[in-house]
Amino acid sequence: MKKKALTEALLNAILDANNEYENLSGGSWLSDYGAESFLVVEAMKQLLAAARCSRKRACATSEESFSEIMECSGANQKPGPLPAVLAGNYRADIVLWRNDSQPFGVIEVKRRWDNGPCMADVHRLQALMDRGGAHLGGSIEYCALVIFIP
């Protein structure tokens, strides 16, 4: 998926999710309450539609463990354990998969900027690319952090 298509899908997802939440809630925005799931589901739909324009088959899942993503990426494993930011119970909000069960995109979603958690996600996504990126023989083509900022 090209950067332009990825960016447009994510921006459309933010707008559509916020509009729907605002309509359902009688005027509240996603940033007012812990409704990140609205944004995750809408982003999954928009990203999958964009991905299917360039691939015959693709699917999306949520709440996948980073260690599972790494294992499925097919990357040449560096010796030693996974970095702490990828090990444990950390989970990605959205993973886009090729029809052969390899991840090609990983997206973290936040309903507002919070320096600690957002920067932790940036470090986790960077570590994922550093270990499972396409440039290393893995299947992961991109990672993204999408934040709703009212």
Side-chain angles (χ1 to χ4, degrees), residues 7-74:
T7 302
E8 286 177 2
L10 291 172
L11 290 174
N12 287 335
I14 291 170
L15 290 172
D16 291 350
N18 192 64
N19 287 340
E20 183 161 346
Y21 189 76
E22 186 176 20
N23 183 45
L24 292 171
S25 68
S28 295
W29 281 19
L30 288 172
S31 58
D32 296 335
Y33 298 98
E36 186 176 289
S37 58
F38 265 77
L39 188 49
V40 169
V41 170
E42 190 58 39
M44 284 176 73
K45 291 191 290 187
Q46 298 272 349
L47 288 165
L48 194 53
R52 286 181 174 164
C53 288
S54 61
R55 299 175 192 276
K56 289 185 179 179
R57 294 188 52 186
C59 65
T61 59
S62 64
E63 297 300 319
E64 292 284 347
S65 76
F66 276 88
S67 57
E68 179 73 16
I69 296 166
M70 271 302 306
E71 185 177 315
C72 293
S73 75

Side-chain angles (χ1 to χ4, degrees), residues 43-125:
M44 284 176 73
K45 291 191 290 187
Q46 298 272 349
L47 288 165
L48 194 53
R52 286 181 174 164
C53 288
S54 61
R55 299 175 192 276
K56 289 185 179 179
R57 294 188 52 186
C59 65
T61 59
S62 64
E63 297 300 319
E64 292 284 347
S65 76
F66 276 88
S67 57
E68 179 73 16
I69 296 166
M70 271 302 306
E71 185 177 315
C72 293
S73 75
N76 297 327
Q77 295 292 320
K78 290 182 179 179
L82 284 177
V85 296
L86 295 178
N89 292 328
Y90 297 112
R91 299 189 170 278
D93 290 323
I94 301 170
V95 181
L96 296 171
W97 299 84
R98 289 186 178 117
N99 59 349
D100 58 359
S101 300
Q102 286 188 309
F104 66 87
V106 179
I107 297 90
E108 285 294 313
V109 177
K110 296 291 183 210
R111 64 182 182 87
R112 64 184 151 102
W113 175 262
D114 187 350
N115 195 55
C118 288
M119 289 309 296
D121 282 342
V122 168
H123 294 301
R124 201 169 352 275
L125 294 172

